[in-house]
């Protein structure tokens, strides 16, 4: 009796395998390995798609990192466009800051914040002589020099007051009136004591009490322009340091300083307007005398919005550049 292990089975002739591309000669060992991995099945196709996508992502990543040779130029050009945009905003802000600084300095140093227009006065009047003498006196009070400003086409700034008088004075006999007169401008500077002197309820009357509102308005209109100019200069120093460090982030401080400078300039202009209006309520303008704000005042008014625009550009450039840099860094880490 034969054992089960010695039982023989009929032999089956080997079949010729066929490839997925159709019948053909039997492939070698490489084909069987790929078939075992399933590269020609549905899973194999998906795997190849995934591998292809991984390859595309690696190429895109290498372009962003600048490691793929010529493909890195795309990332470099993108960064260059971003840097040029922020640099352009920074340059425009610097130009606006420079213009506003020049305007503010010119308005502080000139004497045409307010101008009075009056008819020509006779140069032989004894009253005119006394007014001129009181105007150039160091002890002239608010009513004294304002009367001279009303009569003789006066102009007033933050530091000085000026009047226009005939150049040749004839006290013994008045000359014949002509269409044009030779005139000269005489100015007197406000001392620090004058700037901080109290204003009275009734100008010229020291017994009428102190007008606190006009007193502090006068002091603010004198101090705030210098504070504004100092803030802009300090901001310019910080901006210069940012250029040396090749970083836009410190310009946030420059933008904040320009914002504060603009508020100071706006406050100075508002205080001056309020002080002039309150003064004219106390001292009414004589007949045929008109007053208007001069070009020095207009320079200060123009300087304020320029400071605000420069501040907005500084803060936008620094903040946006910092934000995009943070996002790019986080993307690279991821």
């Amino acid at each position: 009796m034969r054992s089960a292990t010695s039982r023989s089975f009929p032999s089956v002739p080997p079949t010729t395998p066929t490839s997925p591309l159709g019948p053909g000669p039997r492939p070698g060992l490489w084909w069987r390995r790929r078939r075992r991995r399933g590269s020609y099945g549905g899973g194999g196709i998906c795997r190849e798609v995934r591998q292809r996508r991984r390859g595309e992502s690696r190429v895109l990543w290498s372009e962003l990192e600048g490691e793929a040779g010529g493909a890195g130029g795309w990332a470099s050009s993108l960064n260059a466009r971003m840097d040029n945009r922020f640099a352009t905003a920074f340059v425009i802000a610097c130009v606006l800051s420079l213009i506003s600084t020049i305007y503010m300095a010119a308005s502080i140093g000139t004497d045409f914040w307010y101008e009075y227009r009056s008819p020509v006065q006779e140069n032989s009047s004894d009253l005119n002589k006394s007014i001129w003498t009181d105007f150039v006196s160091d002890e002239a009070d608010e009513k004294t020099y304002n009367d001279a400003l009303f009569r003789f086409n006066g102009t007033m700034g933050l530091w000085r007051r000026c009047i226009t008088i005939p150049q040749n004075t004839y006290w013994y006999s008045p000359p014949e009136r002509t269409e044009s007169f030779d005139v000269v401008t005489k100015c007197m500077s406000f001392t620090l004591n004058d700037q901080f002197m109290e204003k009275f309820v009734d100008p010229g009357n020291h017994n009428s009490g102190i007008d606190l509102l006009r007193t502090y308005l006068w002091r603010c209109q004198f101090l705030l322009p210098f504070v504004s100019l100092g803030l802009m200069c300090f901001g310019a120093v910080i901006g210069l340091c940012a250029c040396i460090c090749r970083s836009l982030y410190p310009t946030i401080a420059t933008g904040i300083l320009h914002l504060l400078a603009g508020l100071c300039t706006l406050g100075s202009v508002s205080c001056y307007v309020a002080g002039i209006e309150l003064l004219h309520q106390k001292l009414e303008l004589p007949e045929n005398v008109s007053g208007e704000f001069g070009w020095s005042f207009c320079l200060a008014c123009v300087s304020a919005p320029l400071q605000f625009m420069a501040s907005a550009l500084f803060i936008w450039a620094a903040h946006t550049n910092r934000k995009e840099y943070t996002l790019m860094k986080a993307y690279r880490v991821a």
Side-chain angles (χ1 to χ4, degrees), residues 220-221 224 262-272:
C220 289
Q221 78 183 23
L224 288 179
L263 293 175
C264 290
T265 303
L266 188 61
S268 175
V269 169
S270 303
C271 291
Y272 193 86

Side-chain angles (χ1 to χ4, degrees), residues 234-301:
F234 187 56
V237 173
I238 296 179
L240 182 62
C241 295
C243 293
I244 295 175
C245 299
R246 296 182 180 180
S247 173
L248 288 175
Y249 192 67
T251 55
I252 291 182
T254 304
I256 294 175
L257 290 176
H258 277 73
L259 177 62
L260 296 177
L263 293 175
C264 290
T265 303
L266 188 61
S268 175
V269 169
S270 303
C271 291
Y272 193 86
V273 173
I276 287 293
E277 292 298 326
L278 291 175
L279 175 64
H280 290 168
Q281 292 179 5
K282 305 291 183 179
L283 296 175
E284 295 183 0
L285 293 177
E287 190 176 356
N288 298 327
V289 176
S290 61
E292 60 184 7
F293 293 98
W295 59 268
S296 299
F297 176 82
C298 295
L299 288 180
C301 293

Side-chain angles (χ1 to χ4, degrees), residues 29 46 162 169 225 325:
L29 183 62
C46 294
C162 303
T169 305
Y325 174 77

Side-chain angles (χ1 to χ4, degrees), residues 5 31 52 61 98 104 133 135 148 164 189 279 300:
T5 57
W31 182 85
R52 190 182 301 113
W61 176 252
L98 179 62
M104 199 67 215
T133 304
F135 180 81
T164 302
S189 299
L279 175 64

Side-chain angles (χ1 to χ4, degrees), residues 26-37:
R26 182 175 180 175
L29 183 62
W30 65 271
W31 182 85
R32 290 197 295 271
R33 290 177 178 175
R34 293 192 60 154
R35 188 174 183 181
R36 276 196 298 269
R37 289 197 217 102

